[in-house]
Amino acid sequence: MRRLPMPILAYFAVMSALPLFMGTTGLFYDAFQAIFVFSLVGLGLNVVTGFTGLLNLGMAAFMAIGAYTFAILTSDIYPFQIGFWWGILATVAIGAVAGFLLGAPTLGLSGDYLAIVTMGFGEITLDVLKNLDAVTKGTQGINPLPRPTFGPWTLELQQERGWYWLLLGFVLLAVLAVRRLERSRSGRAWLSIREDALASQCMGIPPKRTKMIAFATGSALAALGGALFAALLSSTGEPASYDFQVSILALCIVIVGGMGSVAGTLVGAVVMVGMNSLVLVKLADWAGAAGVGNASNVLASPNNWKYLIFGLALILVVRLKPDGLLPPRLEGGSS
Amino acid sequence: MEWVDFFLQQLITGLSNGMIIALIAIGYTMVYGIIELINFAHGDLFMLGAFLALTVVGLLGLGDWSGASAWAAVVIMLIASAGFCGVLNWGVDRLAYKPLRNASKLSLLVSAIGASFILVNLGLFWGGLPMDVFAGGVAAAAPKDFPALVPNTNLLGEESLVQFTPKDVLVWAVTVPLMVGLTWIVTRTRLGKAMRATAQNPVAARLMGIDTDRVIGATFLIGGALGGFASVIYSLYNNTISFQMGYRAGMDAFTAAVLGGIGSMPGAVTGALVIGLVRSMSDAYLETRWTNTIVFGILVLILIFRPSGLLGSRAKEKV
């Protein structure tokens, strides 16, 4: 296997050392745990949208499927209780199957119709989660969930550093897997389909099967992100935690980072989720301390600028830097 | 025969709501027909139209007008919102879509999603205006009451179990002439001919001396204005507006446009009437909480099994 390129190595070096300077608890950990969860979702969407050129606006639904699958399989209110690690494995498998099931009838559709179908799938998933509250426990969410164990040792919820490194480890695994896939037969087929579906079909690449593999890979990664998100909170949270905004956040990560670029996705997650969970929260604190963030002024609350920031990020990047912050590097004179 | 009355009631509600959806759906279908873009921002444009109407109510004190002057107030709002939404839609095209005419369809769609989010945020800010109609600007995100300028009296008599109100009259009195006028523009005028030519083949249209940029701009202007009209009658019909209503309305309208065959105007109207009826019937006979699932389910099934829509015959896929 080829060595990881410099930007990715640097990223993991900096990220694994960072907690040593940040104390053992606090906002930093909340933000970076979210960043790593969304890095996984972003890596998944990057496979679908970046590599294969299919717009999926329903990533939140696959996160939700992951979170609820993990919760139902591991929580002590359900009979399965298969434990953290088997729960994660099963979730990834079920995420892939869910992607397959949605992909099978829809991947023949042209680009923007596929986007709409995935968006509709996201909405339907959300409604089903809300309405089947007998199973999903409605706004309460399913909780508590088991903690990961390493032999005799259990990672408790308040051990923020441990969670940080655990999530970073999952991101590393995902990066290795995605880079490996990118260079595999399937991965080269993805890029080829994206560049020219007709030409690759002539070369004997089956478009539908190729797209399905991409879709299933992306969904599995999103489901993994969802399961870890739930494990981290020890609860699935309410169904609304997986709404359309979350799918758009995943899209922002991939577009801002650079479509088809693994390093770009990691950077995109730091920038977009960092904006969401670190900068806006800090600004809100400062505004509160300075006394301007009162409820009567909508402009004073930084949280109210979120949609504007997401929207501007999408429009400006597409217009001014269509390849994103860290565009994919073309290797071996390909494409 | 109580169940007949009940059914008729759902029919009236469904068709009236369907006509409102139709005006929005035409905006989607016109833009898709001409530049093959799902204009994500269209539903949120509609939402801003409603906020403008409420602002006009506040500025001119229209809320107290009654009788004949209430109808004058309605006309003022219609003109204001239609003008505002038309110009805004044209502006969104200028800033967010026009620079990407030669970019990939994916970039264009992403840009439209971005525009939609920006408009939603503007709606949130707008709801925080320190005006009485916006509850003094406190709780900007909360739904706003829209004054009941058009009364809810039953035109079929007090005893009748079926309600047919001036609100329904308003919906039909606004939507039908607009649709007739639009059909006239598209089929009989020079602009309409240029629009159809641009939709069919923009390059050939340009070679024939058609200023396609102007035609596309005009399409956005007209589509936006229709959304503005829709926002006023929606607000008067439902009497409550919120900065998040664009997403729901937009999805209904888009589903309608796809259902009828995107790109086709009669298709959009037919699809919208079907969606309006499905919504009201599902609310009445099934459970309200499943209505959205049913609408989205229809959208997904139509896209999978009949992507050209009910009325769409020419399923052209540009390669």
Side-chain angles (χ1 to χ4, degrees), chain A residues 3-297:
Chain A
R3 267 187 50 213
L4 288 173
M6 268 314 287
I8 297 185
L9 279 179
Y11 171 88
F12 281 105
V14 171
M15 285 302 167
S16 41
L18 213 47
L20 302 175
F21 308 99
M22 289 294 171
T24 53
T25 182
L27 180 63
F28 167 80
Y29 288 98
D30 296 341
F32 272 80
Q33 286 158 355
I35 286 173
F36 295 147
V37 164
F38 274 98
S39 298
L40 292 169
V41 182
L43 285 168
L45 186 61
N46 185 47
V47 168
V48 178
T49 305
F51 291 161
T52 323
L54 307 165
L55 190 51
N56 184 341
L57 294 180
M59 285 311 262
F62 292 105
M63 267 184 90
I65 289 173
Y68 279 90
T69 305
F70 178 76
I72 289 171
L73 288 178
T74 60
S75 158
D76 48 14
I77 57 171
Y78 287 101
F80 309 104
Q81 300 175 25
I82 61 176
F84 180 86
W85 296 105
W86 286 113
I88 292 286
L89 272 181
T91 301
V92 171
I94 288 179
V97 170
F100 232 76
L101 289 182
L102 178 65
T106 56
L107 283 174
L109 295 172
S110 70
D112 32 10
Y113 277 12
L114 180 71
I116 294 297
V117 167
T118 51
M119 181 175 165
F121 175 72
E123 290 302 309
I124 291 174
T125 308
L126 206 59
D127 278 343
V128 169
L129 289 178
K130 266 184 216 158
N131 294 345
L132 289 184
D133 42 7
V135 179
T136 63
K137 308 295 168 212
T139 51
Q140 269 189 321
I142 303 174
N143 56 61
L145 302 178
R147 330 223 181 300
T149 51
F150 301 86
W153 186 66
T154 305
L155 181 60
E156 295 300 334
L157 280 183
Q158 61 276 17
Q159 289 171 312
E160 307 248 36
R161 268 187 184 170
W163 279 98
Y164 177 100
W165 279 315
L166 176 71
L167 292 173
L168 187 61
F170 273 108
V171 175
L172 179 62
L173 278 181
V175 166
L176 292 175
V178 166
R179 282 182 47 86
R180 191 119 203 182
L181 275 171
E182 187 188 356
R183 281 169 178 65
S184 71
R185 189 187 171 88
S186 300
R188 282 173 284 134
W190 293 338
L191 302 185
S192 147
I193 287 274
R194 179 191 70 191
E195 291 305 320
D196 193 330
L198 193 62
S200 26
Q201 207 171 349
C202 294
M203 294 294 147
I205 295 172
K208 199 157 173 197
R209 201 172 71 202
T210 307
K211 289 179 184 175
M212 293 247 282
I213 297 174
F215 224 67
T217 310
S219 316
L221 282 170
L224 173 64
L228 290 170
F229 176 71
L232 185 67
L233 301 172
S234 190
S235 167
T236 56
E238 55 176 329
S241 340
Y242 310 94
D243 65 1
F244 185 55
Q245 225 190 103
V246 172
S247 297
I248 294 302
L249 179 58
L251 182 67
C252 287
I253 289 171
V254 174
I255 300 280
V256 170
M259 286 210 288
S261 158
V262 171
T265 305
L266 298 176
V267 172
V270 174
V271 173
M272 293 310 301
V273 185
M275 175 72 73
N276 199 9
S277 320
L278 201 61
V279 179
L280 287 181
V281 177
K282 270 272 179 240
L283 282 176
D285 284 352
W286 286 335
V292 285
N294 52 7
S296 65
N297 189 346

Side-chain angles (χ1 to χ4, degrees), chain B residues 9-159:
Chain B
Q9 184 62 62
Q10 306 316 318
L11 209 61
I12 292 174
T13 315
L15 290 175
S16 289
N17 276 312
M19 286 305 268
I20 301 176
I21 299 173
L23 281 189
I24 313 172
I26 291 174
Y28 276 103
T29 226
M30 283 176 78
V31 166
Y32 193 90
I34 210 153
I35 58 171
E36 295 200 351
L37 164 72
I38 298 169
N39 185 8
F40 254 87
H42 194 66
D44 304 305
L45 184 90
F46 158 83
M47 175 273 294
L48 287 182
F51 275 74
L52 182 94
L54 189 53
T55 311
V56 171
V57 169
L59 288 178
L60 303 183
L62 301 182
D64 308 328
W65 295 17
S66 59
S69 51
W71 290 100
V74 172
V75 172
I76 294 174
M77 282 189 285
L78 282 172
I79 293 171
S81 281
F84 171 73
C85 287
V87 173
L88 185 62
N89 208 26
W90 178 84
V92 168
D93 171 52
R94 265 296 154 107
L95 293 174
Y97 308 150
K98 195 169 172 234
L100 299 171
R101 290 273 196 268
N102 296 319
S104 73
K105 271 169 85 176
L106 192 69
S107 314
L108 198 57
L109 194 58
V110 168
S111 199
I113 296 171
S116 148
F117 269 60
I118 291 176
L119 295 188
V120 170
N121 214 142
L122 293 181
L124 175 61
F125 289 161
W126 201 329
L129 276 186
M131 291 174 69
D132 285 342
V133 285
F134 290 107
V138 191
K144 313 289 174 197
D145 289 331
F146 202 95
L149 280 168
V150 179
N152 212 4
T153 48
N154 194 350
L155 296 176
L156 301 177
E158 286 300 316
E159 309 81 48

